[in-house]
Amino acid sequence: MKKKKINIEGIEIEVGTSEPEDKRRMFAYYFRMIRQASGMSRTEFAEWLGIPYRTMQEWELGRRTMPEYVLRLIAYKVKNEQSKKVSPDK
């Protein structure tokens, strides 16, 4: 399967050709990859961002569509914390 890489605010995400074309599902996949890049669990990530766990879970599972600007802001924050080489405070 051929894969391509997309860049969201400095975080590279590998996307296979079998990834869904639906915007909601694509954003769910991107969000999950960004969270995994942070090294945090869902609970830790929700607390760190100050987002209700249930909202974050709905975004990650693709049940709700997150605004694109929110996805970009979260990716920026994760990348910024990684570049400082400081683990994010909870």
Side-chain angles (χ1 to χ4, degrees):
M1 169 173 53
K2 187 175 178 178
K3 295 189 178 198
K4 64 179 181 175
K5 289 186 179 183
I6 65 160
N7 187 309
I8 301 177
E9 303 302 321
I11 295 180
E12 296 239 340
I13 299 173
E14 227 176 63
V15 180
T17 55
S18 65
E19 286 305 313
E21 303 266 335
D22 177 317
K23 183 178 180 179
R24 179 175 43 91
R25 290 187 180 166
M26 281 192 326
F27 278 20
Y29 177 76
Y30 299 159
F31 185 68
R32 187 171 49 253
M33 294 297 105
I34 291 167
R35 179 184 60 79
Q36 289 175 352
S38 76
M40 289 184 255
S41 69
R42 283 183 182 165
T43 304
E44 292 168 331
F45 202 58
E47 288 174 5
W48 180 63
L49 291 170
I51 296 173
Y53 177 83
R54 182 69 174 188
T55 299
M56 196 205 70
Q57 181 183 41
E58 294 290 307
W59 288 342
E60 190 168 310
L61 295 175
R63 294 182 188 144
R64 290 179 52 197
T65 305
M66 69 185 324
E68 184 175 352
Y69 74 90
V70 172
L71 179 70
R72 293 192 173 282
L73 285 170
I74 291 170
Y76 177 81
K77 181 173 175 145
V78 168
K79 183 65 176 177
N80 191 34
E81 291 297 321
Q82 287 176 341
S83 68
K84 289 180 186 177
K85 298 198 189 284
V86 174
S87 33
D89 295 329
K90 294 179 194 166

